Amino acid sequence: MIICPLTLDECNKHIIPRPKTAFLMTPSDDKMSPAVKRVVNSVTSSLSKHSLLFLFGTKIIDLGDYACSICKNLRACALGIAISSEDIPYSTLGNIFWEMGLMQGFGRPVILFVDKRENLPSDFVRDFTVCFKKGGYLSRFSALLDELSKREQYYSDTLGDIAYDVGDYEKAGRYYE
């Protein structure tokens, strides 16, 4: 059961999975500095090289409540990528961190790109944080994507088969998905 973060009731929205899609949590184009634009372009290029699609949270067009649309798309995507920089306004960073928290709460991995590691909260300083001001950050990102792609096989081949063997067909279906 998924609880809606807006109403605190059970969410009844039908989610169409996007298993090979990354949800990008970035500022809108008009609030994006040239440095952040370069990082976003590099990230999207790397995602394409790994045969992953991407969806910008700032470009979602859907009927109804905008926050609900964001939430539905977060739940549908397999991976989140967030950008944090001193160049991003605090109000925008607040939205990015809210989206990150939702995505992590839904059990999706989130890779955080930062301009510097100083002053980050302790829960952000972990394996899934990439500092883009240091050289070689794209190779680190590529290595993370390679590790994440191994999860797909683990879920479908290992956990899906175990769930199927014990007769939990609903769980098996989710793992195979």
Side-chain angles (χ1 to χ4, degrees):
M1 175 171 69
I2 300 292
I3 302 297
C4 173
L6 301 174
T7 66
L8 302 180
D9 289 329
E10 183 177 356
C11 178
N12 60 0
K13 303 294 182 199
H14 178 69
I15 306 299
I16 299 170
R18 295 177 176 196
K20 294 193 178 265
T21 305
F23 188 93
L24 275 74
M25 296 162 262
T26 66
S28 57
D29 290 338
D30 61 324
K31 294 181 181 176
M32 207 180 298
S33 70
V36 171
K37 281 183 185 179
R38 281 192 298 276
V39 172
V40 170
N41 289 337
S42 297
V43 165
T44 56
S45 176
S46 189
L47 287 169
S48 295
K49 287 177 186 170
H50 280 83
S51 301
L52 293 170
L53 303 171
F54 49 89
L55 171 67
F56 284 92
T58 58
K59 296 182 180 174
I60 291 174
I61 299 172
D62 203 353
L63 296 175
D65 186 87
Y66 185 68
C68 184
S69 299
I70 292 286
C71 190
K72 283 189 331 191
N73 282 284
L74 285 171
R75 286 180 50 204
C77 292
L79 166 69
I81 297 173
I83 310 287
S84 174
S85 169
E86 289 181 340
D87 300 343
I88 299 173
Y90 289 118
S91 59
T92 302
L93 274 178
N95 290 339
I96 290 170
F97 289 150
W98 179 77
E99 292 167 355
M100 281 180 63
L102 276 179
M103 198 149 205
Q104 289 172 332
F106 294 137
R108 305 297 192 279
V110 177
I111 298 172
L112 174 64
F113 282 82
V114 297
D115 55 354
K116 60 181 184 175
R117 285 189 176 263
E118 299 104 48
N119 302 323
L120 277 179
S122 61
D123 54 336
F124 290 130
V125 183
R126 60 189 200 289
D127 293 336
F128 285 94
T129 300
V130 176
C131 184
F132 61 81
K133 290 248 176 145
K134 294 181 180 178
Y137 78 91
L138 287 176
S139 61
R140 169 127 168 85
F141 179 53
S142 182
L144 286 171
L145 291 177
D146 290 339
E147 284 299 313
L148 287 171
S149 69
K150 292 176 187 174
R151 286 185 178 189
E152 176 186 3
Q153 191 170 14
Y154 172 71
Y155 278 103
S156 65
D157 295 350
T158 304
L159 295 180
D161 290 347
I162 290 170
Y164 184 83
D165 289 344
V166 300
D168 191 344
Y169 303 117
E170 182 180 350
K171 188 178 281 186
R174 282 191 307 232
Y175 286 138
Y176 289 138
E177 184 177 63

